[in-house]
Amino acid sequence: MAEGARVDSVTAHAAHTMDKSITLPPDEIFRNLENAKRFAIDIGGSLTKLAYYSTVQHKVAKVRSFDHTAKEHGDRLYDIAVQEEVTARLHFIKFENAYIETCLDFIKDHLVNTDTKVIKATGGGAHKFKELIEKKLGLKVDKEDEMTCLIKGCNFVLRNIPHEAFVYTKHADSEFRFQNTHPDIFPYLLVNIGSGVSIVKVESEDKFERIGGSSIGGGTFWGLGALLTKTKRFDELLQLASKGQHTNVDMLVKDIYGGSYGSLGLTGDLIASSFGKSATADKEFSQGDMAKSLLHMISNDIGQLACLYAKLHNLSRVYFGGFFIRGHPVTMHTITYSINYFTKGEVQALFLRHEGYLGAIGAFLKGAEEDNPNQYSWGENYAGSSGLMSVSPDMNPMQRSRSGTFLFDMLEMDRLERQLVKLPLLQDPSSYIPDTMDLTEDALAREYWLYCFEDALDGVVKRAVASQPEAPEAQERAEKFRQKYRHKLQTLRNQPFAYGSLTVRSLLDTREHCLNEFNFPDPYSKIKQRENDVALKYYLKAVKALDVLQWEERQFALVTGVLAGNVFDWGAKAVSDVLESDPEFGFEEAKRQLEERPWLVDSYDQWFARLKGPPHKCALFFVDNSGVDIILGVMPFVRELLSRGTEVVLASNSSPALNDVTNSELQILTERIAAMDPIVQGGLRDERLLLVQSGSSSPCLDLSRLDKVLATVVRERNTDLVIIEGMGRAIHTNYYAMLSCESLKMAVIKNSWLANRLGGKLFSVVFKYEVPAGRRERPVSSIL
C-alpha cells in the first residue's frame, strides 16, 4: 500500500500541523504510550515501522447477582457495575525516516515506563540509526535477523487477522478479493521485494529457507526511474507510472507480427520487448510512459521468477510483500497478470494488507518470546487502525491530506482473553466463509447498509449516554464516538476494502470497537436488565401453557416461541422503534407479527419428522438476545430438548454487543429459572445443561474463531445438532455454513430492505433445517 496514501482523519489533522518542531498529540498518534512495556523497530530505506506493547485501561460492564433472600433489592435480578479493566494491546506506527528524530524525541518525552531497557531492531536502518535510537530513548538496541523477523511477522498476521490476504483483480467490481484465514497456513512462498528480491519457502513456524532471489527489484525501479525521469522520490515515480502508457515505449507482439502469434499462444497485446520502441522510434518519450514501462518490466520479471519457484517446489500459495509493492494497483496488477499467465491460473498472487509491518511484528515477537504471545489470539482493533487505503488520489482526495512528506499509518491489535479456534463441526474449514453478503462486491447493498448504520447513530449515542446516567462527561464521550464512527463509515464508503471484505458483521464490529474506545462497554445494559426482570415473571406461565399442549402442537409452539422471542432485537430499527413507542408490546404481540406458513425459508416439516426419531446426543445452541428472547423463547425450547434426553450447550457472547445476552448474564438468568423449573434445575445439576462462552463480542458469529473451551466441550460431548438463532448469527453470517452434523438456523427478518431483497416482508421467517448429506432445499434458500 502506498505509504503516503493511508491516513486516518485524526492523523491527517496531526500531519497537517507538523513541521520540524512538531508536537504530536499522544492520545491520537502514539496511543497508550505511557503504558508501553516493550518496543521493536524496523527501519527500512525510507520508512520506520515502530511496534510497542502496552496495557490499556478501559471500562467493562460486570453483572453481580443479588442475594434474593434479602428484600432491599426488590424484584431486580442483578446489579450492573462498570469497572476498570486492563488489557494488552499491540500498536504499530509507520512514518518516514525524515522524521525519525522528531518521533523519537516525542516517544522519549512521553515514555514513563522505566522498566523498558531494550528495543529490538531489524531492517537495514537498524545499524544506521542505532546510536541515534540509543541516545534519544536511553535504550539498548538489540539487532534481530531481518528475514527471521519477516517470516515471524507474516505467520502472525496470517493467523490472527481475518481478511489479511487478498487477490487483486483490476477492473473487477471489487478489485480486492479477500481470502479467509486458512486453518493451516503452511507451506507458502513469500516473495519479498525490497531493493532486491528474496524468495523464501516457509514450511512451519520456525522452518524456512531462502531458495532464490534477484538483484532486479524495487531499488532497480527506483534507480533506473531516477535516471530516466530525473524523479528522485519513489512515490512520485509510482505516480508517474500510474499516468503513463507503456505501449508507447514497449514493443508488443503485434508490433512485430501485425497481430497475435497464435501457434505460440501469444496475444497481440503481450509485451515482446520492454523499451523495444525506444531504440527505433525517433521521438521523445514522456516520463510517465517510461516509468510505466519500467514498472511493467520489473513486475513481470519478478512474477515469472516467482512462478518458476512455486512450480519447482509445488507451492500454490504465493504472498508478495515488501517496499516495492505498497499496494500500488499497477504493480499488483502486473504481478497478478504475470502469475496467471505463466501458471495458467494454477497459482494465485496474494498480497497482504499489513505487509509493511511484518518486520516490526517479527522483531516484537522475538523480544516477547518469554511472554509467548503466540499462545493468545489477537484481533485487529478497527477503531485504532488506519485501514487499507487506495493510492489513487482520484478515488478519495481526503485521504491524501498531508503536510510535506509526513504521514502516519497505524495498526492496533488487542490481545483476546481467550484463545480462539475453529468449530470442530465445520464440514470444510478451509472453504468456510462466515459472511453471507460481501458488500465490497454489492454496491447497492453497500450503500444501503452504510446509510442504515449512519441513520442509527443518533439512537446509539442516545442509548450510550442513558447507560451511564451517573457520568457527567458521558455526553462528551458519546459525541466523540459519533465523530469517530461516522468518519469510519465515510472511509468505508470511499474504500470499502479498508479492513478486508466489508460486511454487516464488520460494520457492527467497528461500531462496538468505537463504543469501547470511548468507554461505553454496554449501552444496552439497563434495557437488558429491565427486560430480563420482566420476562422472568412470565416464564412459569409460558411453560405451563406449553405443557398442556399435545406433543405435535407443542413442537410447533416451541419453534414459534423462539421466533417470536427473536423479534425482540434492539439492533433492528424497525423493532427498536416499536419497543420505544409501545412499552406494552409483548410476547403474544410478537407471535401475531410473524408471517403465516409457508415461511420464506421453511424446513419445519423435515424438522418435525426428525423429532419423531431418536433424540440427539448433544445440541449446541448459539443464543441471541436478552429478555423475552432467551427467557420465553429459547429456554422452553432447551427444556424440551432436555426432556428428550438431549444434552444442551448454550453458547453466548463473552462480552456485550447490542442487547445480546452475555455468558455472565445467562448464568444468573439460568439459576433463577432453575429455581422455578425442576427440568432446568436437573439439567444443571447433572451437567446435561452447560453454559459456555462463545469467545465472541459481536452480534454476528464467526465459527472459525470460537472459544477453545467451547470447541473442547463440543468435541467431548459428541455434539450432533447445532442451533443458530437470530439475524446476525444465522442470516448475516452462517446462512451458507456447512456443518458435519445436523443444523437448525432460525431467524426473523427485522429489516424491511433485506426482507424485500429476499422476496419476503418484514417479520418473514427463516427456518432452515439441514443435514450433513447436503439435501437440497427449495430455491429460496439461495436467494441471498
Side-chain angles (χ1 to χ4, degrees):
M1 187 51 43
E3 315 301 350
R6 289 180 283 183
V7 60
D8 187 278
S9 67
V10 175
T11 58
H13 173 73
H16 187 68
T17 63
M18 288 192 67
D19 56 27
K20 293 294 183 181
S21 59
I22 184 167
T23 300
L24 304 175
D27 58 340
E28 293 183 0
I29 306 298
F30 296 96
R31 290 150 54 94
N32 307 303
L33 186 61
E34 66 277 6
N35 299 321
K37 307 295 183 186
R38 185 177 289 109
F39 283 89
I41 198 164
D42 175 15
I43 309 177
S46 63
L47 293 172
T48 295
K49 286 78 70 176
L50 177 73
Y52 62 94
Y53 163 93
S54 71
T55 53
V56 181
Q57 196 166 29
H58 60 97
K59 295 186 185 298
V60 294
K62 298 284 188 181
V63 297
R64 178 175 61 89
S65 181
F66 289 126
D67 175 7
H68 287 280
T69 60
K71 297 295 185 184
E72 65 266 22
H73 304 300
D75 292 331
R76 282 191 300 153
L77 184 62
Y78 54 80
D79 187 31
I80 305 165
V82 177
Q83 303 173 1
E84 294 288 339
E85 189 172 273
V86 175
T87 56
R89 180 172 292 173
L90 288 177
H91 303 258
F92 303 96
I93 302 170
K94 189 186 300 177
F95 50 86
E96 297 187 13
N97 289 353
Y99 292 89
I100 190 169
E101 286 201 53
T102 304
C103 291
L104 290 175
D105 279 336
F106 182 85
I107 294 168
K108 180 183 178 181
D109 291 344
H110 292 84
L111 180 60
V112 297
N113 179 10
T114 55
D115 294 335
T116 304
K117 304 295 183 186
V118 177
I119 181 170
K120 292 287 185 180
T122 190
H127 294 288
K128 180 179 178 181
F129 293 100
K130 180 176 184 292
E131 290 186 11
L132 177 66
I133 295 169
E134 290 183 338
K135 178 184 175 182
K136 293 282 187 182
L137 297 185
L139 303 176
K140 180 179 179 290
V141 172
D142 190 1
K143 180 77 167 62
E144 292 290 344
D145 177 69
E146 190 172 356
M147 194 56 64
T148 301
C149 292
L150 189 71
I151 301 304
K152 275 189 172 291
C154 192
N155 293 341
F156 184 82
V157 297
L158 288 175
R159 278 206 178 96
N160 288 282
I161 304 183
H163 297 168
E164 171 63 28
F166 62 90
V167 173
Y168 181 79
T169 309
K170 190 179 180 181
H171 303 312
D173 290 340
S174 176
E175 294 179 70
F176 298 81
R177 191 174 296 276
F178 294 91
Q179 310 290 298
N180 285 298
T181 304
H182 198 279
D184 184 8
I185 64 174
F186 305 111
Y188 65 84
L189 196 70
L190 177 63
V191 181
N192 192 57
I193 315 169
S195 297
V197 180
S198 288
I199 299 177
V200 186
K201 179 183 179 182
V202 185
E203 297 183 76
S204 68
E205 189 65 45
D206 299 309
K207 185 180 179 183
F208 62 88
E209 178 187 2
R210 186 184 188 275
I211 57 176
S214 173
S215 62
I216 302 173
T220 314
F221 173 67
W222 198 351
L224 282 177
L227 292 173
L228 289 168
T229 68
K230 307 305 180 185
T231 299
K232 297 298 183 182
R233 292 188 55 79
F234 192 89
D235 277 337
E236 290 175 9
L237 195 59
L238 284 175
Q239 193 70 4
L240 275 175
S242 67
K243 296 175 180 177
Q245 178 55 260
H246 77 97
T247 56
N248 292 334
V249 181
D250 292 339
M251 185 175 291
L252 308 182
V253 169
K254 65 184 177 183
D255 294 323
I256 300 174
Y257 295 101
S260 62
Y261 194 152
S263 62
L264 294 182
L266 305 178
T267 64
D269 291 329
L270 198 67
I271 297 173
S273 175
S274 296
F275 289 92
K277 288 179 182 175
S278 61
T280 58
D282 185 19
K283 66 174 184 177
E284 291 290 326
F285 296 95
S286 78
Q287 293 188 1
D289 292 348
M290 289 188 289
K292 183 69 161 286
S293 175
L294 182 62
L295 186 59
H296 271 290
M297 181 181 78
I298 292 171
S299 299
N300 276 322
D301 184 67
I302 293 170
Q304 184 173 16
L305 197 61
C307 287
L308 293 172
Y309 279 103
K311 284 188 171 183
L312 184 64
H313 293 270
N314 196 29
L315 296 171
S316 59
R317 277 178 282 182
V318 182
Y319 297 102
F320 290 85
F323 176 81
F324 179 67
I325 301 291
R326 307 173 80 183
H328 195 275
V330 176
T331 310
M332 293 191 298
H333 171 66
T334 308
I335 289 175
T336 298
Y337 181 88
S338 179
I339 289 281
N340 288 339
Y341 179 82
F342 289 112
T343 69
K344 295 181 171 57
E346 294 177 3
V347 175
Q348 277 191 324
L350 294 162
F351 305 94
L352 302 170
R353 281 203 294 136
H354 301 104
E355 55 88 10
Y357 287 120
L358 301 186
I361 292 171
F364 171 82
L365 294 173
K366 287 287 288 183
E369 284 178 342
E370 62 268 28
D371 295 338
N372 194 12
N374 278 321
Q375 75 178 347
Y376 300 101
S377 290
W378 300 78
E380 182 174 4
N381 186 310
Y382 297 139
S385 291
S386 301
L388 183 68
M389 299 292 183
S390 166
V391 297
S392 170
D394 300 325
M395 286 185 66
N396 183 17
M398 291 171 55
Q399 73 180 63
R400 302 289 295 188
S401 300
R402 58 189 296 160
S403 175
T405 58
F406 191 94
L407 278 172
F408 278 112
D409 171 44
M410 298 183 294
L411 164 65
E412 289 186 1
M413 297 184 70
D414 291 329
R415 193 179 81 184
L416 308 178
E417 291 182 15
R418 315 177 79 80
Q419 192 169 0
L420 303 183
V421 299
K422 64 180 175 63
L423 179 69
L425 299 172
L426 283 173
Q427 194 173 88
D428 180 11
S430 64
S431 64
Y432 168 68
I433 299 174
D435 302 288
T436 304
M437 189 183 301
D438 187 344
L439 303 182
T440 51
E441 298 181 4
D442 190 330
L444 185 64
R446 177 171 70 246
E447 189 54 39
Y448 169 75
W449 285 110
L450 286 170
Y451 164 79
C452 191
F453 277 87
E454 191 161 11
D455 186 51
L457 251 179
D458 287 344
V460 177
V461 168
K462 176 183 173 183
R463 277 184 279 276
V465 174
S467 71
Q468 298 179 7
E470 69 291 344
E473 81 292 349
Q475 185 68 50
E476 181 182 351
R477 284 187 284 114
E479 287 304 317
K480 288 181 179 179
F481 153 74
R482 185 205 301 272
Q483 293 170 16
K484 181 87 168 188
Y485 188 58
R486 179 171 285 152
H487 172 261
K488 292 292 180 183
L489 293 176
Q490 290 170 349
T491 297
L492 291 167
R493 184 168 275 113
N494 289 299
Q495 290 96 235
F497 43 78
Y499 300 103
S501 292
L502 181 62
T503 63
V504 173
R505 175 169 64 107
S506 67
L507 288 169
L508 286 164
D509 290 350
T510 303
R511 187 168 69 184
E512 292 299 324
H513 291 181
C514 291
L515 282 166
N516 280 311
E517 178 173 339
F518 295 102
N519 279 322
F520 292 107
D522 194 357
Y524 292 82
S525 56
K526 305 292 186 186
I527 292 173
K528 290 190 290 182
Q529 183 184 40
R530 182 177 68 248
E531 292 187 347
N532 285 333
D533 290 340
V534 171
L536 272 175
K537 297 175 182 177
Y538 293 95
Y539 176 77
L540 278 180
K541 179 181 178 182
V543 294
K544 286 178 179 177
L546 289 165
D547 286 344
V548 300
L549 296 176
Q550 295 295 317
W551 184 82
E552 182 172 341
E553 286 183 281
R554 187 165 71 249
Q555 304 316 307
F556 186 72
L558 286 164
V559 166
T560 55
V562 173
L563 295 169
N566 193 242
V567 168
F568 291 81
D569 183 354
W570 282 82
K573 192 173 186 300
V575 175
S576 62
D577 288 347
V578 171
L579 295 177
E580 284 184 334
S581 62
D582 183 7
E584 300 303 316
F585 184 85
F587 193 40
E588 296 304 318
E589 285 80 5
K591 288 181 183 178
R592 289 192 286 271
Q593 292 288 343
L594 299 178
E595 72 172 337
E596 298 290 330
R597 288 192 68 197
W599 296 321
L600 182 63
V601 177
D602 194 336
S603 303
Y604 178 77
D605 291 341
Q606 294 94 316
W607 169 249
F608 180 72
R610 172 62 184 86
L611 289 177
K612 295 178 179 178
H616 295 90
K617 173 73 173 62
C618 178
L620 168 62
F621 200 138
F622 289 100
V623 299
D624 194 1
N625 305 305
S626 291
V628 173
D629 190 349
I630 186 69
I631 294 169
L632 301 184
V634 170
M635 291 307 291
F637 194 94
V638 168
R639 182 177 183 267
E640 182 77 8
L641 289 172
L642 291 170
S643 299
R644 283 172 56 83
T646 300
E647 297 174 359
V648 179
V649 179
L650 289 181
S652 51
N653 273 12
S654 300
S655 304
L658 294 175
N659 66 314
D660 294 358
V661 65
T662 63
N663 182 260
S664 55
E665 293 163 353
L666 187 55
Q667 297 279 354
I668 296 170
L669 292 175
T670 307
E671 288 173 8
R672 281 297 303 274
I673 290 171
M676 298 184 279
D677 190 332
I679 296 176
V680 174
Q681 186 179 60
L684 287 175
R685 182 190 62 238
D686 301 335
E687 296 187 344
R688 293 185 301 108
L689 174 59
L690 296 180
L691 313 179
V692 185
Q693 298 185 44
S694 67
S696 175
S697 303
S698 170
C700 296
L701 182 65
D702 182 350
L703 296 177
S704 68
R705 288 173 66 85
L706 294 177
D707 190 332
K708 188 176 182 179
V709 173
L710 175 60
T712 301
V713 168
V714 165
R715 190 180 292 109
E716 291 176 347
R717 297 268 170 152
N718 296 316
T719 302
D720 54 355
L721 173 64
V722 174
I723 305 171
I724 306 177
E725 179 211 8
M727 267 183 61
R729 293 167 180 79
I731 294 182
H732 292 314
T733 53
N734 298 304
Y735 187 80
Y736 295 123
M738 299 301 294
L739 303 175
S740 59
C741 69
E742 295 173 54
S743 65
L744 187 57
K745 299 164 187 175
M746 294 186 280
V748 177
I749 301 174
K750 292 151 288 193
N751 177 283
S752 296
W753 181 90
L754 182 60
N756 289 335
R757 172 170 267 222
L758 303 185
K761 57 184 180 180
L762 196 63
F763 301 121
S764 286
V765 169
V766 170
F767 187 90
K768 192 178 187 188
Y769 169 63
E770 295 176 305
V771 294
R775 181 174 60 205
R776 292 188 177 275
E777 297 175 327
R778 64 193 183 100
V780 74
S781 66
S782 299
I783 56 182
L784 285 174

